Amino acid sequence: MAVTEIPPPPPVAHAHHPPPPAVLALHKQYIKKPIEQLADDPYILDLDNISDYHKTRLQPISELDKDRLLSDYKTFLEDGPENGVATELVADPDGIRTTVYTHKNVPGIQILPSLPPAVQTKVLERILLRDLSNPVHKTNLHAHYQLPYSQFSSDKPSYFHLDADTTFEPLDPTVHKPMTVQQALKKKLRWMTLGGQYDWTKKVYPEMVPRDGEEGVEGVDRRDEVPQFPPDLKRLIQALFPQITPEAAISNFYSPGDQLSPHRDVSEKSCKGLVSISIGCDALFLIGFAPDPLKEDGTVKTAEEVEAESKEHVLLVRLKSGDVIVMNGESRWAWHAVPKVIRGTCPSNLQSWPGELKGLDGWDSWMSTKRVNLNVRQMWDPDQETKQM
């Protein structure tokens, strides 16, 4: 994978800044855009049907070695205890995509299309059938519910294995009602953090800020306190992108109708790229920057001029199952969002997951209406000072 020089990050306080009006306007525009109009929109990059607009802007940047890639995939599929059906080796080596692309509109972005289906399934198994039931990896549910960790066993290793009437009791019954495991996984589960545990309210990693009574500035380096990032997922990411050391990840769980507002990931004290893996339903991914508000002569552009230029500074990608985005170079600090998850687009090989697995027939078709997105990042650079940027 090509390595692109990344500029210094914005201050961590910028994590709370609102998005530029031009980026927010595009996000809202595509939230409202009917699904049936997406295929004919020339501004949406579909790697299986590239429009004329993108043919001169999309550029191959590198070619991965197919033999090594196949070896890396096989290693991942054979790695660790078996808990599912993704133990087969990659069945179609000729179908492995090895070209990495970049795009003129967003300097530094890298796109690797379509991880093999067996690899996608294995990633799902690791995240949802193993890591989700590990109490060190927090979820949005922890803030309001007691999670039934005591009910896990060798026969029931995940939430999907628990009895359908298993109940999540609220921490405050005056605010939240009890809910079943079916309700939790189908409707309420929104995100999970792996490795470094991100604080979504303060927009910091607890391992990077001082405790009460602890002297020093924000940015205290306590790497030894970070929960371990899953080793097998770490090896897969590093095999594909050796310049990145996975230390934290946020896994988002989307359903059609969900969206993610424009934001920037600036809380990490590392300039390494951010890796995003999509599995399940298609989604629109928006990434980019606001146009320069000034003309070359120093005069201010009109609102109409800024709006007309906005699409030249952003990229809209229709991400499909298995697609990988690397936010590298300038794109590492770009605004990005998910305006739409597209119903009815989950690949046929995933639609019945995990109901096809032994003992999980009650979860048939769970994945058919889901998009799972794994966002992996490095928290620190090895030679970086521990002061806040």
Side-chain angles (χ1 to χ4, degrees):
M1 180 70 68
V3 178
T4 305
E5 184 176 349
I6 300 178
V12 171
H14 285 202
H16 295 274
H17 284 192
V23 174
L24 184 59
L26 273 177
H27 175 67
K28 291 181 177 179
Q29 175 185 335
Y30 280 91
I31 287 176
K32 298 176 182 178
K33 196 174 185 70
I35 290 177
E36 58 270 16
Q37 295 180 12
L38 299 180
D40 296 326
D41 189 321
Y43 292 106
I44 296 175
L45 173 61
D46 183 338
L47 289 168
D48 294 324
N49 184 25
I50 301 173
S51 68
D52 290 340
Y53 173 81
H54 290 290
K55 285 179 180 177
T56 58
R57 292 169 171 81
L58 184 70
Q59 303 167 341
I61 191 174
S62 65
E63 198 74 28
L64 301 181
D65 182 89
K66 180 175 288 189
D67 291 337
R68 180 170 180 175
L69 202 56
L70 179 59
S71 175
D72 292 336
Y73 290 152
K74 287 182 177 180
T75 297
F76 176 65
L77 294 175
E78 296 169 339
D79 198 356
E82 306 309 331
N83 64 354
V85 298
T87 56
E88 78 241 33
L89 300 184
V90 179
D92 181 19
D94 293 335
I96 292 179
R97 312 244 330 231
T98 59
T99 303
V100 180
Y101 299 91
T102 189
H103 199 281
K104 179 181 177 181
N105 288 20
V106 183
I109 195 167
Q110 297 172 352
I111 307 170
L112 173 63
S114 193
L115 295 179
V119 173
Q120 298 177 45
T121 305
K122 197 72 166 184
V123 170
L124 285 179
E125 291 177 355
R126 292 300 186 236
I127 294 173
L128 288 163
L129 301 186
R130 181 193 63 188
D131 299 330
L132 183 60
S133 54
N134 185 338
V136 304
H137 304 309
K138 303 304 181 183
T139 72
N140 64 295
L141 302 178
H142 282 78
H144 304 296
Y145 290 92
Q146 301 176 40
L147 275 61
Y149 292 112
S150 62
Q151 300 192 35
F152 296 133
S153 65
S154 58
D155 293 331
K156 296 180 178 180
S158 79
Y159 290 106
F160 291 89
H161 289 86
L162 297 180
D163 295 337
D165 59 355
T166 300
T167 301
F168 289 46
E169 296 294 340
L171 297 177
D172 185 348
T174 65
V175 177
H176 297 94
K177 297 179 180 179
M179 64 179 176
T180 66
V181 66
Q182 289 269 351
Q183 292 172 322
L185 296 185
K186 288 185 176 180
K187 297 181 180 179
K188 299 298 184 180
L189 179 65
R190 297 290 182 168
W191 54 260
M192 170 178 63
T193 49
L194 299 175
Q197 299 296 295
Y198 190 64
D199 185 320
W200 289 74
T201 300
K202 298 180 180 178
K203 299 189 183 298
V204 296
Y205 293 93
E207 299 86 359
M208 291 183 176
V209 297
R211 301 186 187 94
D212 290 342
E214 186 176 48
E215 295 183 0
V217 298
E218 288 189 358
V220 173
D221 186 344
R222 288 196 290 267
R223 304 180 198 207
D224 58 338
E225 299 179 15
V226 177
Q228 184 184 37
F229 192 89
D232 47 5
L233 294 174
K234 180 177 181 177
R235 285 189 287 271
L236 173 66
I237 298 297
Q238 287 197 296
L240 295 171
F241 316 109
Q243 72 274 23
I244 298 169
T245 301
E247 294 173 326
I250 298 171
S251 186
N252 298 104
F253 307 102
Y254 296 91
S255 298
D258 292 343
Q259 55 94 7
L260 181 66
S261 298
H263 66 284
R264 292 190 294 177
D265 293 299
V266 300
S267 300
E268 295 75 28
K269 290 179 61 64
S270 173
C271 290
K272 299 296 184 180
L274 186 153
V275 179
S276 176
I277 301 174
S278 296
I279 302 176
C281 291
D282 294 3
L284 286 188
F285 177 68
L286 183 156
I287 181 170
F289 306 91
D292 190 331
L294 299 180
K295 300 179 182 180
E296 292 184 1
D297 62 6
T299 58
V300 178
K301 296 174 184 174
T302 65
E304 291 75 16
E305 289 172 327
V306 171
E307 181 179 357
E309 290 183 20
S310 61
K311 288 184 178 178
E312 296 301 316
H313 296 270
V314 301
L315 174 62
L316 277 156
V317 189
R318 181 165 180 155
L319 291 177
K320 301 181 181 181
S321 194
D323 288 349
V324 182
I325 293 281
V326 182
M327 294 168 57
N328 217 344
E330 292 182 45
S331 72
R332 176 59 181 87
W333 317 118
W335 293 92
H336 53 285
V338 178
K340 193 177 294 291
V341 176
I342 305 170
R343 185 181 302 275
T345 56
C346 183
S348 58
N349 63 293
L350 291 177
Q351 287 181 6
S352 61
W353 194 92
E356 61 198 13
L357 304 181
K358 183 179 179 180
L360 298 182
D361 51 314
W363 293 97
D364 190 47
S365 79
W366 181 84
M367 193 65 197
S368 66
T369 59
K370 294 293 181 183
R371 174 185 182 246
V372 177
N373 182 222
L374 182 66
N375 294 279
V376 182
R377 63 282 310 274
Q378 184 169 326
M379 295 171 65
W380 289 276
D381 285 337
D383 58 348
Q384 195 164 39
E385 296 181 1
T386 59
K387 297 190 295 185
Q388 184 74 21
M389 290 184 179

